[in-house]
């Protein structure tokens, strides 16, 4: 678009260094932003101690708050997430799509494959492995009230509902945060921080206490979300090792050792930076995930998978509008409870992860256009996710409906559902081992990406924060997960409390996201107006240049005719007819 050609709106403003928040990265030795770093650390430590020492009280308090939020504001979550989808599509398809997230004519920082691998691994890679088989089976076993009783109806519902939870909606949430931050840091030269994405609507207030509060919310939500996933993840890994018979009855000590190992790998990765450790691990993750998916596709019910993929996309497109606004009210309390337990929970969880994923995606998207950003973040991962669930989830449904069954007993075991499916396929032992490795690497990627984002936020938006603080936050995530896992022998309860707290944080951050939408629209419109003005000036300059060139060429060729000046008092006007007649007579 525009700005790419004129070069008048792409440069970072000269005041960019002055706009850094207090404690910003002007110098390496003063890289910590104290009013973000210390409040975040204190809140995290205080809450973890509370959740560990007073487990029952903390769980009851957090659950009560969450029930009130979900029970009273479920409609709000459904409406706001649908609004984010509309916003993302409008920005990507509309007239702002050619605006560059960077300087004019700047090339993308990372290759397309590496970029997609990193954003996919950070966004939901580990969730796809965990829920790939389990979620469709859950929806088949206990569908939403109102769904038909036949196996075909339940099977179709299970896949379409899974597509809703993992499709366009969560990625649209990431687009809102990622695009606002990417525009601020790459187009306007601001530090890597949530606060600067709100500058167009909040102005200089982002430099003070309000900006600090916003960044603290992002830090706490990110660390709680990553630590929760890390804790639950090692429980799945240990369940897989137990299921395969490689480790007998792995206990808490073994799970702690897993967290330590993952944290060490994540620390090494985050210290080496995005261009090396994080990028390499993301590429390896995607390679292993693709290999697992292709293996299940070939060894499993191949024809059923392809047929189901097409049918499920059709079902999704037919019902996505209705499902986007379905609060379950027409099915009474049972319907609303089902929606709260699944859809509303997911919307809150994705919003709680959006500061982490959004900032990380923004950081790696320098040089992309707005349209490339939206298509890359919204459409490509959605299609890949749909195919992933069609392969793994579809295979699970096929096994349960048309095969030997056994994946659903007294409900679905979420920790072992994937391994139960793989056991029915050839070379199960080897494949399960590679799958466990994939899960470990996905958790390493989530941990190092989360640590990197938290470190940037607590370092005043420094895109290359110091190594000591990267190590600190990476170890902090592991320590939080360990503390909650071993707390009183009820680690799962404490982890659930932390997870619920992260979702509660999503409520105030959803308001921040609304301001982000307004800020992005304002910035892009200003960019568009600047482009149109620059193009108009360029067209006027071009017309003047052409006119001057034509006059100069005529003068050089002697073909320029200059008008005869009129005589005073209209003398020439009165005499010209007679003179003309005389010339005509002379010519005859």
């Amino acid at each position: 678009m525009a700005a790419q050609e004129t070069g008048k709106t792409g440069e970072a403003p000269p005041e960019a260094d002055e706009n850094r928040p207090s404690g910003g990265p002007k110098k390496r030795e003063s890289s910590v932003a104290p009013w973000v770093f210390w409040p975040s650390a204190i809140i995290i430590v205080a809450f973890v101690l509370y959740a560990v020492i007073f487990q029952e009280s903390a769980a009851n308090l957090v659950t009560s708050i969450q029930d009130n939020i979900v029970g009273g504001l479920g409609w709000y979550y459904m409406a706001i997430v649908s609004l984010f989808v509309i916003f993302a599509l409008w920005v990507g398809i509309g007239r702002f799509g050619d605006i560059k997230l960077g300087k004019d004519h700047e090339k993308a920082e990372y290759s397309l494959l590496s970029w997609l691998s990193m954003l996919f691994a950070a966004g939901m890679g580990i969730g796809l492995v965990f829920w790939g088989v389990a979620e469709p089976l859950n929806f088949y076993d206990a569908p939403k009230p109102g769904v038909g009783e036949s196996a075909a109806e339940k099977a179709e519902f299970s896949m379409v509902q899974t597509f809703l939870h993992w499709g366009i909606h969560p990625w649209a949430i990431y687009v809102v945060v990622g695009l606002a931050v990417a525009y601020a840091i790459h187009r306007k030269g601001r530090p890597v921080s949530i606060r600067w994405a709100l500058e167009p609507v909040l102005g200089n207030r982002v430099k003070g206490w309000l900006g600090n509060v916003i960044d603290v919310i992002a830090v706490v939500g990110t660390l709680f979300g990553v630590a929760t996933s890390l804790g639950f993840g090692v429980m799945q890994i240990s369940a897989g090792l137990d299921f395969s018979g490689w480790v007998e009855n792995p206990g808490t000590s073994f799970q702690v050792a897993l967290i330590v190992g993952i944290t060490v790998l994540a620390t090494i990765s985050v210290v080496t930076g995005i261009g090396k450790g994080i990028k390499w691990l993301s590429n390896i993750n995607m390679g292993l995930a693709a290999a697992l998916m292709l293996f299940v596709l070939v060894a499993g019910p191949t024809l059923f998978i392809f047929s189901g993929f097409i049918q499920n996309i059709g079902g999704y497109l037919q019902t996505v509008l209705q499902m986007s606004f379905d609060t379950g009210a027409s099915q009474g309390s049972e319907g609303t409870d089902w929606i709260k337990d699944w859809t509303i929970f997911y919307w809150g969880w994705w919003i709680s992860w959006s500061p982490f994923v959004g900032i990380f995606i923004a950081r790696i998207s320098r040089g992309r256009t707005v349209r490339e950003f939206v298509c890359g973040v919204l459409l490509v991962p959605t299609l890949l996710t749909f195919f992933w669930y069609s392969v793994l989830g579809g295979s699970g449904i096929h096994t349960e409906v048309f095969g030997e069954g056994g994946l659903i007993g007294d409900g679905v075991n979420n920790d072992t559902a994937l391994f139960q499916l793989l056991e029915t396929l050839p070379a199960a032992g080897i494949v399960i081992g590679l799958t466990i490795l994939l899960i470990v690497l996905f958790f390493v990627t989530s941990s190092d990406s989360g640590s990197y984002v938290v470190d940037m936020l607590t370092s005043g938006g420094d895109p290359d924060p110091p190594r000591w603080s990267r190590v600190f936050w990476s170890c902090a995530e592991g320590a939080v997960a360990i503390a909650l896992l071993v707390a009183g022998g009820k680690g799962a309860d404490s982890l659930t409390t932390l997870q619920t707290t992260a979702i509660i944080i999503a409520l105030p951050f959803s308001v921040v996201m609304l301001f982000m939408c307004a800020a992005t629209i304002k910035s892009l419109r200003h960019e568009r107006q600047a482009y149109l003005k620059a193009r108009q000036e360029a067209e006027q300059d071009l017309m003047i240049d052409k006119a001057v060139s034509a006059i100069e060429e005529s003068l050089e060729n002697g073909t320029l005719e200059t008008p005869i000046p009129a005589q005073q008092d209209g003398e020439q006007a009165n005499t010209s007819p007679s003179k003309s007649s005389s010339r005509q007579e002379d010519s005859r």
Side-chain angles (χ1 to χ4, degrees), residues 334-376:
E334 291 184 359
T336 55
D337 288 343
W338 195 96
I339 292 294
K340 287 189 296 183
D341 290 341
W342 284 104
T343 306
I344 302 301
F345 174 87
Y346 265 125
W347 291 173
W349 185 243
W350 297 135
I351 292 174
S352 72
W353 269 65
S354 62
F356 152 45
V357 180
I359 291 176
F360 182 77
I361 294 175
R363 173 64 181 82
I364 63 176
S365 298
R366 175 182 290 275
R368 303 285 173 186
T369 65
V370 170
R371 185 167 291 113
E372 286 176 331
F373 182 91
V374 173
C375 289

Side-chain angles (χ1 to χ4, degrees), residues 319-479:
T319 59
V320 63
L321 187 61
Q322 184 269 334
M323 290 190 302
S324 298
F325 296 93
D326 184 7
T327 61
S330 59
Q331 287 82 35
S333 59
E334 291 184 359
T336 55
D337 288 343
W338 195 96
I339 292 294
K340 287 189 296 183
D341 290 341
W342 284 104
T343 306
I344 302 301
F345 174 87
Y346 265 125
W347 291 173
W349 185 243
W350 297 135
I351 292 174
S352 72
W353 269 65
S354 62
F356 152 45
V357 180
I359 291 176
F360 182 77
I361 294 175
R363 173 64 181 82
I364 63 176
S365 298
R366 175 182 290 275
R368 303 285 173 186
T369 65
V370 170
R371 185 167 291 113
E372 286 176 331
F373 182 91
V374 173
C375 289
V377 176
L378 188 66
L379 300 181
V380 176
T382 296
L383 289 175
L384 291 175
T385 300
F386 286 176
F387 192 65
W388 173 273
Y389 271 107
S390 294
V391 173
L392 294 179
S395 297
I397 294 295
H398 182 274
T399 300
E400 192 62 31
V401 177
F402 303 105
E404 298 179 357
L407 301 183
I408 299 176
D410 296 330
V412 180
N413 188 328
N414 296 327
D415 290 336
T416 61
L418 173 60
F419 306 115
Q420 288 176 272
L421 173 66
L422 295 178
E423 192 181 33
T424 65
L425 302 177
I430 298 175
V431 177
I432 289 176
L434 292 176
T435 301
I436 292 174
L437 175 62
L438 173 64
I439 296 172
V440 171
L441 292 180
F442 262 129
F443 273 115
V444 172
T445 304
S446 296
S447 180
D448 60 16
S449 303
S451 302
Y452 197 86
V453 167
V454 168
D455 198 15
M456 286 189 291
L457 290 172
T458 57
S459 297
D462 188 352
D464 185 25
R467 292 184 176 182
W468 72 264
S469 53
R470 301 185 200 184
V471 174
F472 173 81
W473 287 112
S474 180
C475 294
E477 289 173 359

Side-chain angles (χ1 to χ4, degrees), residues 198-238:
L198 302 174
E199 185 183 17
V201 293
L202 296 181
N204 289 331
R205 282 175 288 185
V206 300
K207 302 177 184 178
W209 68 268
L210 184 58
N212 293 329
V213 170
I214 293 171
D215 283 343
V216 167
I217 291 175
V219 169
V220 174
T222 296
L223 192 135
F224 279 7
V226 175
T228 300
S229 296
L230 186 60
F232 282 125
V234 299
M235 296 173 72
Q236 186 196 24
I237 294 171
S238 61

Side-chain angles (χ1 to χ4, degrees), residues 529-542:
Q529 292 171 356
Y531 158 67
L532 294 176
K533 181 179 179 181
R535 187 176 69 175
Q536 184 179 17
E537 293 176 353
E539 290 175 350
Q540 292 175 351
D541 292 342
L542 181 61

Side-chain angles (χ1 to χ4, degrees), residues 138-149 153-154 157-158 338:
N138 272 283
F139 295 157
Y140 178 83
D141 180 49
K144 186 182 70 173
V147 176
E149 295 295 328
E153 290 175 309
K154 292 192 296 182
F157 166 78
S158 68
W338 195 96

Side-chain angles (χ1 to χ4, degrees), residues 101-139:
L101 300 175
K103 296 181 180 180
D104 298 326
H105 305 292
E106 186 174 12
K107 294 183 179 180
E109 185 175 3
Y110 299 100
S111 68
L112 181 61
L113 182 59
S114 294
W115 180 61
L116 290 174
S117 297
M118 286 190 287
L119 72 87
F120 197 74
M124 56 180 60
I126 186 57
L128 293 178
V129 179
F130 186 91
W131 289 107
V133 178
E135 183 161 336
L137 288 177
N138 272 283
F139 295 157

Side-chain angles (χ1 to χ4, degrees), residues 279-313:
K279 183 179 76 172
W280 292 344
L281 281 176
S282 298
N283 290 336
I284 294 172
N285 284 341
M286 294 305 295
L288 286 175
L292 174 63
M293 183 176 64
L294 291 175
F295 171 79
V296 176
L297 175 65
V298 173
T302 306
L303 181 60
F304 177 85
I305 290 171
F306 280 118
S307 300
F309 176 61
I310 300 302
Q311 178 176 314
N312 295 331
I313 286 182

